[in-house]
């Protein structure tokens, strides 16, 4: 954001971008496995034992931000890569429940599912970080129009 707003110079923007790209693509974080993320288009709940939905949704927002910086720096291939990943939130939307929910590696939803069940603090279980499916449904700040479309348009979206 600092680069896009003109606060950072080109060289600083490049340095920042390289660090961001590294952190979003190299498996050096204990909570993110980018190989799984890219293979499935989400973090599978049966492999990522805690906060798989939250982490996926948070990563899609990070990807969108990285895409904007890549675009500003003229890195079109990287822009396209990160914009594709910014749409991974769609892979966790279950139209039958109207919520973002955990999905296993085989593509099956995690069951049982209760959209108001809270995941506990401490990140040791559950698909959400100290929250539930209702709260994390809205965690697509980077693509509100896409979320509206995903849920069937403006009228059904208002009823969620």
């Amino acid at each position: 954001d600092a680069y896009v707003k003109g606060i950072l110079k080109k060289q600083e923007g490049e340095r920042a971008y390289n660090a961001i790209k590294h952190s979003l693509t190299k498996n050096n974080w204990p909570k993110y496995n980018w190989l799984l993320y890219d293979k499935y288009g989400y973090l599978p709940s049966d492999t990522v034992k805690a906060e798989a939905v939250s982490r996926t949704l948070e990563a899609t927002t990070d990807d969108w931000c990285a895409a904007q910086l890549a675009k500003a720096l003229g890195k079109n291939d990287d822009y396209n890569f990160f914009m594709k990943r910014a749409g991974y939130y769609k892979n966790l939307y279950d139209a039958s429940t109207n919520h973002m929910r955990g999905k296993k590696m085989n593509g099956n939803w995690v069951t049982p599912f209760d959209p108001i069940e809270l995941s506990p603090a401490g990140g040791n279980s559950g698909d959400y970080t100290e929250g539930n499916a209702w709260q994390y449904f809205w965690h697509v700040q980077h693509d509100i129009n896409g979320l509206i479309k995903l849920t069937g348009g403006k009228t059904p979206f208002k009823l969620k």
Side-chain angles (χ1 to χ4, degrees):
D1 197 39
Y3 179 77
V4 172
K5 290 180 178 175
I7 297 169
L8 297 178
K9 294 184 175 14
K10 175 88 172 172
Q11 183 179 11
E12 295 167 318
E14 289 283 349
R15 258 192 8 244
Y17 177 75
N18 289 335
I20 291 165
K21 182 178 179 181
H22 180 84
S23 69
L24 293 176
T25 58
K26 304 298 179 205
N27 277 342
N28 57 358
W29 288 31
K31 292 188 174 187
Y32 289 89
N33 183 323
W34 301 121
L35 297 173
L36 286 175
Y37 182 67
D38 287 324
K39 179 177 181 178
Y40 296 99
Y42 57 92
L43 293 168
S45 294
D46 51 344
T47 300
V48 177
K49 297 297 182 189
E51 306 169 347
V53 173
S54 300
R55 291 182 199 182
T56 297
L57 296 175
E58 290 164 3
T60 64
T61 301
D62 293 343
D63 288 330
W64 184 86
C65 292
Q68 303 319 298
L69 182 53
K71 183 178 183 180
L73 292 168
K75 300 177 182 300
N76 294 328
D77 289 344
D78 286 356
Y79 169 78
N80 291 330
F81 170 78
F82 284 116
M83 283 303 291
K84 177 183 176 188
R85 285 181 23 163
Y88 283 178
Y89 72 89
K90 297 171 188 169
N91 298 327
L92 293 182
Y93 177 70
D94 176 8
S96 71
T97 64
N98 294 313
H99 289 287
M100 305 294 177
R101 62 185 284 200
K103 190 183 272 190
K104 299 177 183 180
M105 288 189 303
N106 65 8
N108 292 334
W109 299 113
V110 171
T111 57
F113 176 70
D114 180 351
I116 61 171
E117 182 179 340
L118 290 170
S119 292
N124 54 9
S125 64
D127 282 317
Y128 309 93
T129 305
E130 299 176 10
N132 62 30
W134 273 108
Q135 293 164 309
Y136 272 93
F137 173 82
W138 306 105
H139 198 83
V140 187
Q141 304 94 325
H142 64 283
D143 190 15
I144 296 300
N145 289 329
L147 183 60
I148 290 169
K149 183 178 178 182
L150 185 65
T151 61
K154 289 183 180 182
T155 300
F157 187 79
K158 289 178 186 177
L159 300 175
K160 301 285 181 236

